[in-house]
Amino acid sequence: MDWDSFARWGAKISDWGAGYHRGLRDLPVRASTRPGSVAAGLPQVPPETPESMESVFADFERIVMPGMTHWQHPRFFAYFPANATPPSMLAEFLATTVAAQCMLWQTSPAATEMETVMMDWLRQSVGLPEGFKGVIQDSASSATLAAVLVMRERALDWAGNQKGLTGQPRLRVYASNEVHTSVDRAIWIAGIGAENLVRIPTQGPLRAMDPAALDAAIRADRAAGYRPAGVVACTGGTGTGACDDISAVVAVARAHGLYTHVDAAWAGSAMICTEFRNLWSGVEGADSIVFNPHKWLGVQFDCAAHFLRDPAPLVRTLAIRPEYLRTHGADGIINYSEWSVPLGRRFRALKIWFVLRHYGLEGLRQRIRNHVLWSQALAAQIGADPRFEIVTEPVLSLFTFRLKGADDAAQQAFVNRINDDGRIYLTQTRVADGVVIRFQAGQFDATEADVMMTYEVISDLAGAA
Ligand SMILES: *Cc1c(COP(=O)(O)O)cnc(C)c1O
C-alpha cells in the first residue's frame, strides 16, 4: 500500500468511526449472532493474490460488524466498561503509526519517560503517596501475576526462579472468594497451586475478608509447616463490588511479613474522586496495587496501571540480568520490560497523556460521579417496585437485583429476555449461590436517560415471565 492510499483510507476510516459512534444508540447492544456464523462467512483458505482495500473494507462492514457486541454503546451495562474515548483513539492511532517496540529506554526514550511521568500523574490522581512507582501492564491479570510471582520469590528467598519449586516449602496466598479469577490463574501459573490459595471468609455489607480469620489462617498455616507468602485484597470485586478493609488486611499481612497486592481493576479509576477513597483507605500500606484506566477512565484497552511501593522486588523477580539492579533507575534509565512478564511493549502512555489533557481530571470526575449517582437512582427505583428486590446495594455504580419469588432458571430467563430485547445489555452473577442480575453503569457517553431506560426495559419484560 502506498502512503497516498494509506492517507485516503485513514481519513475514510476515521469518518466511518465517527459515524459508527454517532449511530450507536440505535443498534442493539449485544450481537445476536449465532455461533459459527461469522466464521462461515470467511473463506477457509488465505488469498494467494492481492485483494483491493475496497473489497476488504466492504467485507469488514458485511461480515464483521454484524457480529460485534457494542462495548462503546451508552447502554452497555454488562461486565465492566471498556471506555475508548476519542482522544484515546487518536493517541492509539499515532502510537500504531509510529509503531515502536518500547521494551527498553533505548528502544523508545519518549515512550519510557512518558510512562514514568504518566504513571506519576495517575498516582497523584488517585491519591497514592509519593514514593509509589508505576508501570503500565497489558492487563490487571498480568499485574496480579507479577505480584504473585514477587510473593513467591520473596517467600523463597529468591530461590524459585533458579531452583524451581520442588523441595521448597509449600507457599500459601490468602484472598476472599470475592476476588477475580485472575488471582486463581496467577496462583496456577506461579506454580503455587490452587490448593494453596486460602479463602478467607467475608463479612459485612461490603463482603470484606475477616481480618481475624486471615490472621488465624496465617498462624495455623505456619504451625502446620506451610510458608505464607502474600495476601491479595480487592477493592471493587467483579461480581458485586466487594471491598476488603485494606487497612486491616495490610496490618495483618505486615505483622506476618507478607506481601500485599490490591486488585482495584475497576474501582481504582473512581479514586480520582476523593469522596470514594474511603473504599480503599489504608491502600498506602499495600506493596502492589493495580487498576485499569482501560475500564473506567476513558483510556482504551489495553492499559493497566500497576503501582509498587518499591519496584526492586518486582525487578529482582522479573529482570533477566539481575546485575542491572545496581544501576536501576539511578541514571534516569528505566527498562520497563524488566517490570513485566512480556518483553515487548506498546507505547501505551501516549493515550493516558491525551485523555488526561483532553478531559482534565475534573472532566473525568464528573463522568464517574454521574455514573454513581444515576446507578443509585436506578437502584432506588428498582428497589421500590414490588416485583423486584435489590440483592446487593450499589458499590459505586454496581449493584445486583432479582425478580422477587423467582428461581434461578427464571432469573436467567429474564436476563436472556432483557439481552435479546437489545435496548440494554447486562449480565447475571451469583450471590450466596443464587442467580442475580448485575448492573453497572460506566460508559462515557451514557446519559441519565440511558441509565434510567434500564427500569423501563425490565419493567416491560418482567411481566412476560
Ligand atoms: C476486570 C477485572 C480484572 C481483569 O482485568 P484484565 O485487565 O482484563 O486482566 C481483574 N480484577 C478485577 C476486580 C476486575 O474487575
Side-chain angles (χ1 to χ4, degrees):
M1 180 178 279
D2 64 38
W3 295 109
D4 289 339
S5 309
F6 174 83
R8 222 174 32 254
W9 279 102
K12 186 173 157 128
I13 286 172
S14 59
D15 283 346
W16 180 91
Y20 168 70
H21 282 269
R22 283 192 204 105
L24 265 179
R25 259 196 194 80
D26 302 326
L27 298 177
V29 190
R30 194 201 57 185
S32 51
T33 312
R34 275 171 299 100
S37 67
V38 176
L42 299 170
Q44 285 181 8
V45 292
E48 291 290 344
T49 54
E51 298 183 48
S52 71
M53 267 309 288
E54 278 76 11
S55 78
V56 175
F57 190 77
D59 285 348
F60 164 76
E61 290 199 283
R62 183 177 62 87
I63 300 170
V64 177
M65 286 314 294
M68 296 304 292
T69 291
H70 302 291
W71 280 74
Q72 306 309 319
H73 195 299
R75 293 190 297 275
F76 183 99
F77 303 129
Y79 308 99
F80 280 129
N83 280 298
T85 55
S88 169
M89 291 179 210
L90 294 175
E92 278 289 63
F93 192 22
L94 292 173
T96 280
T97 306
V98 178
Q101 208 277 45
C102 311
M103 58 185 174
L104 306 173
W105 179 87
Q106 204 178 98
T107 67
S108 199
T112 299
E113 295 186 17
M114 178 70 81
E115 181 158 339
T116 305
V117 176
M118 285 309 105
M119 290 305 291
D120 200 62
W121 282 16
L122 288 180
R123 174 194 67 74
Q124 296 171 52
S125 304
V126 299
L128 291 176
E130 237 171 278
F132 272 87
K133 303 287 185 230
V135 57
I136 306 175
Q137 306 280 9
D138 55 8
S139 61
S141 303
S142 287
T144 297
L145 172 59
V148 168
L149 290 170
V150 173
M151 290 175 189
R152 184 189 80 187
E153 288 306 291
R154 229 179 127 260
L156 294 178
D157 290 326
W158 315 98
N161 281 344
Q162 288 308 312
K163 300 196 155 85
L165 302 188
T166 311
Q168 300 284 5
R170 255 172 93 174
L171 301 179
R172 301 287 249 187
V173 172
Y174 307 84
S176 82
N177 263 322
E178 299 288 334
V179 296
H180 188 262
T181 50
S182 56
V183 177
D184 300 69
R185 290 207 284 182
I187 295 291
W188 304 346
I189 298 165
I192 292 171
E195 289 175 6
N196 298 307
L197 175 57
V198 181
R199 299 294 186 167
I200 305 300
T202 57
Q203 57 183 16
L206 287 174
R207 298 163 294 286
M209 80 169 102
D210 173 358
L214 173 64
D215 185 63
I218 297 169
R219 286 174 196 281
D221 278 350
R222 275 211 209 288
Y226 294 111
R227 186 167 299 177
V231 184
V232 180
C234 67
T235 299
T238 311
T240 61
C243 291
D244 288 321
D245 176 343
I246 306 296
S247 294
V249 168
V250 164
V252 173
R254 283 248 176 111
H256 292 283
L258 306 193
Y259 195 83
T260 313
H261 173 65
V262 176
D263 179 2
W266 160 67
S269 293
M271 303 310 166
I272 64 171
C273 307
T274 50
E275 70 269 31
F276 301 135
R277 289 186 192 159
N278 60 324
L279 288 177
W280 74 358
S281 61
V283 73
E284 64 282 352
D287 296 297
S288 165
I289 302 151
V290 67
F291 87 91
N292 281 342
H294 72 224
K295 279 184 172 157
W296 206 2
L297 215 56
V299 180
Q300 78 203 74
F301 195 79
D302 51 358
C303 184
H306 186 192
F307 293 99
L308 292 312
R309 148 186 312 288
D310 174 8
L314 176 68
V315 174
R316 184 164 179 185
T317 299
L318 294 178
I320 295 296
R321 286 190 301 275
E323 74 267 21
Y324 177 73
L325 267 177
R326 274 182 259 121
T327 59
H328 175 72
D331 44 9
I333 292 178
I334 297 176
N335 295 323
Y336 280 118
S337 54
E338 306 195 322
W339 298 45
S340 52
V341 175
L343 174 69
R345 328 184 76 242
R346 306 193 316 108
F347 188 177
R348 300 191 187 93
L350 193 67
K351 58 194 171 186
I352 302 177
W353 194 48
F354 273 45
V355 167
L356 289 178
R357 292 183 67 183
H358 180 82
Y359 293 96
L361 283 172
E362 224 8 82
L364 297 170
R365 287 187 195 112
Q366 199 52 55
R367 283 168 175 80
I368 287 174
R369 284 181 177 134
N370 280 340
H371 298 150
V372 172
L373 209 67
W374 298 336
S375 291
Q376 288 171 350
L378 175 65
Q381 196 175 6
I382 293 174
D385 185 321
R387 292 171 295 173
F388 308 116
E389 62 190 334
I390 298 295
V391 180
T392 58
E393 292 292 334
V395 175
L396 300 169
S397 64
L398 166 62
F399 67 90
T400 62
F401 66 100
R402 68 181 157 216
L403 276 172
K404 238 184 228 168
D407 63 9
D408 284 358
Q411 308 291 353
Q412 185 61 57
F414 186 40
V415 170
N416 296 347
R417 278 203 305 284
I418 292 168
N419 291 335
D420 289 343
D421 173 85
R423 283 175 285 176
I424 67 170
Y425 178 35
L426 39 67
T427 48
Q428 69 287 341
T429 187
R430 297 186 82 85
V431 172
D433 251 19
V435 173
V436 300
I437 305 165
R438 180 182 177 282
F439 175 93
Q440 68 75 30
Q443 209 284 328
F444 265 30
D445 295 327
T447 61
E448 185 171 11
D450 286 316
V451 171
M452 299 315 281
M453 190 188 282
T454 302
Y455 179 74
E456 199 179 306
V457 173
I458 64 171
S459 201
D460 287 355
L461 299 173

